[in-house]
Amino acid sequence: MDTRPTAQTDAHHLTALTRATAAQRLVEDGPNLLPGSTPKTLLAIVLGVLVEPTFVMLLVAGGIYLLLGDRAEALFLLAFVFVVIGITLAQERKTQRALESLRDLSAPRALVIRDDQELRIAGREVVRGDLLVLHEGDRIAADAQLVQGQLTVDESLLTGEAVPVDKLPNPKIAELTIPGGDGTSTLYASTLVTKGVGFAVVGATGAGTAVGRIGQALATTGEMTSGLQQSTRRLIRNLTVIALLLAVSLVLVNWLWDGRSLLESLLSGIALAMAILPQEIPVILTVFLALGAWRISKKKVLTRRMSAVEALGAVTVLAVDKTGTLTQNRMEVAELAAGDANFIVSPGTELSETFHLLVEFAMLATPIDPFDPMEKAIQIFGHTQLAGTEHIHDDRRPEFQYELSPDILAMTRVFSGMRPATHLLATKGAPEAVADLCHLADEARFAIQSQVEAMAERGLRVLGVAKGEWQAGSPDAPWPPSQHDFDFTFLGLVGFFDPPRPEVPAAIAECRVAGIRILMLTGDHPATARAIARLVGLSDRPEVVTGVEIAALDDIGLRQRLLRVDLCARLQPEQKLRLVRVLQQAGDVVAMTGDGVNDAPALKAADVGIAMGERGTDVAREAAALVLLDDSFASIVAAIVQGRRIYDNVVKAARFVFAVHLPVIALALLPALLNWPILLLPVHIAVLELLIDPACSTVFEAEPAAADIMCRPPRPLHSNPFAAGNIGFALAQGIGIAIILLAGSALLQHLGWAEEDIRISVFTALVLALFLLILANRDLTHAALHNLGGNNPLLAPMFAGVGAVLVAVLAIPFLRDVMGFAAISMPPLLAAVGLLLACILWMQIVRWANNQRRHRTQPK
């Protein structure tokens, strides 16, 4: 018989909203969502692009060309600004779509009554005054008051208390109370109905809920800037100052001393400043981190803070929950104990008659269609093992039920007996509580306790089962007030197991090779933690530190203790924050998983906070940097691989940027100082930037992970792609190319070539050298041309695009005139090929010298 409430039967006297009223309140109060990040406006994005120094210079140069009457050159330069604005808008929209997907995950669906009809709606559409229909297993969509029915609700995400609380109806609408305690009528958003059915009137939504107020405080905290972003900003700021000083100096030298016109001098100065500024570096960070977040989302991990993508590559400690992350969060009956007999559940094994009575009464003590995972496991196991026997009683309904309480951690269901006024009792609960109800002697209790401890050592959660009979004095006799008023017979123990996720052992082994330490955090028994750790290969060390021990240690003592243990059991939620901080004080970079409101401070404090997407709370997701959609440990490891790959590719791209900018700077500065013909104008540098930016943001971002990426220790958190070793190698590449191109230019001038032909040779050679530098910096251990292979899918399209741009500016008359080139002929192109061959030789020399240096410095 279906006992669920329906709008037509149970709620006829309750007042529900009309759809029109609900729509109006949705407009007035806004959606029922936690506060989140506000997407950037179009104006903010455009202004963000326009204030970048390079684009300011593009605008200035375009304005100068307009003053000179050269509209083609002006429009050509100004078009680049709009191209970059378009790219930035596309990137911002992709990131916002990911955040919107996350917010959709955080909003549960709700069953409401509107216009006297049941209606299933998205949680974001719930409004004040809505009449919620609540069943066992529902996650409550908003703060509300129970007005009809009776519920048991798990409020642990707000109170930290593991025992669900009973809710009693109050038809008179009153002020919502604070969380905690039995017997109230107030229900809270994101808490879970574990038992019962009822109706509730919504009193608060969104930020006005108890969980929303915590989420609002967390959401208003600004996004942290990563170490890489900070170092990049310092670098760009310093180079901007240098570029402006040198540009102003060059303008003054050309105008006052060399006698060039002011406008010509200004264009030379702007070209130099544009050449010096590596504006690709912020582009690299923005694009690499945004696309990195997109790639990680394919691994079932959503990114809420971009800085976490970078920090993933530096993680040294991964602190993870046991339940649901290392295990499947799915209980199975694994073992039975009846007296001295034990039954280990395995596929194809038939249940012995000795255990039939134990399983029968475990099923009688359990609802037929339960929500609790262990109760589900009992019913599934019983129906599988006892199918076709007289021990299954799905048709029997209890006359009365004694619920679990803080005083007696057991529940009893009472059924009518075979004789008048007799009743059959089925009890299950904590083994010590059930043994106490059976009034066993100390020796028997000790034997049961020994069995329980042995099963716990094997990683099992254990319930005791008992049966009893009660003879009522009369058919109308009241039920005894307590379960202690009955006499029970102890039947045995049922052991449950949450099996490990099959992918976890391999993922943990991968972390160990990568130098990442795994620390298990669980509220379970130490023996359970130890058993799971052995099964998944997390740790062979038997020592476990408990929450009680952690509370007794100071930070120094705890830090020393954590050096010897990998398992933390019986933890209180607030102790996770302390563990994170102690590990960070010891120099570790910590990633931590969590799912409850009480986990939010620790998630926020961790270098990489990872919230559970399937079972996590809204507030945990708001506090975390990453959201794990499938709650799988293997997804975390996959994200770490991506974090390391992203940092490796940032290093490659930074090396390329500095290598390619040095010859550009030299070709913009030295001809002006030596009173040579100007080789690079702002329009040339704008075209080069159009080629360099995609090379950085596409080709290097798409570089696959190195084969040994998880065979090396984590990088230091504050390591820098702009370190002397990396940039020194880049400068060595660039200096040689600059010298070759300048020497070639001098030779061609000496031979009497025209300025326009020299410019074709130098510009073509420089663009082809850009090809060469892309290949060379993909992998320093191989020659540039060897790196034409590999599995980067964007390499060929990028080269085709660059080649098309080069052909266009050389062959199309309009573009050729804008660039200041002569009509195309064979000698300038042959000269460009000769310069490129010299560059290839230089790159081979630099690579050989670098490999020799690395060989000498590697430990023997």
Side-chain angles (χ1 to χ4, degrees), residues 156-173:
S156 58
L157 66 90
L158 289 172
T159 64
E161 296 296 329
V163 179
V165 294
D166 293 323
K167 298 293 181 178
L168 301 178
N170 180 8
K172 185 178 180 181
I173 302 299

Side-chain angles (χ1 to χ4, degrees), residues 18 106 141 210-211 225 277 289 377 381 431 444 679 758 775 805 817 826 857:
T18 64
S106 70
V211 71
T225 303
L277 278 176
L289 295 182
F381 179 79
L679 296 176
I758 296 175
L775 294 175
V805 171
D817 292 341
M826 189 57 64
T857 56

Side-chain angles (χ1 to χ4, degrees), residues 687-710:
V687 171
L688 287 170
E689 297 298 346
L690 182 64
L691 303 180
I692 295 171
D693 279 354
C696 296
S697 60
T698 58
V699 172
F700 285 108
E701 193 283 328
E703 280 292 293
D708 65 342
I709 199 163
M710 290 296 278

Side-chain angles (χ1 to χ4, degrees), residues 330-338 341-346 355 358-359 362 373-375 377-378 381 429 431 451-465 490 492-499 528:
R330 176 178 58 84
M331 284 295 174
E332 297 176 352
V333 175
E335 186 174 341
L336 302 175
N342 281 72
F343 177 78
I344 307 297
V345 179
S346 59
F355 302 96
L358 169 61
V359 177
M374 288 197 288
E375 291 185 329
I378 288 172
F381 179 79
Q451 283 182 310
V452 171
E453 290 176 357
M455 294 171 76
E457 287 289 341
R458 295 190 287 275
L460 304 181
R461 292 185 179 183
V462 185
L463 288 181
V465 179
F490 193 82
L493 302 170
V494 181
F496 302 85
F497 186 60
D498 184 5
T528 305

Side-chain angles (χ1 to χ4, degrees), residues 225-247:
T225 303
S226 71
L228 182 55
Q229 288 170 320
Q230 291 173 1
S231 62
T232 300
R233 288 175 183 175
R234 285 195 299 269
L235 176 70
I236 297 299
R237 184 174 61 246
N238 294 339
L239 288 177
T240 300
V241 173
I242 293 171
L244 292 176
L245 290 175
L246 288 178

Side-chain angles (χ1 to χ4, degrees), residues 530-545:
R530 195 180 294 115
I532 293 294
R534 283 197 302 266
L535 278 173
V536 300
L538 188 150
S539 176
D540 293 326
R541 297 194 279 194
E543 191 173 355
V544 181
V545 61

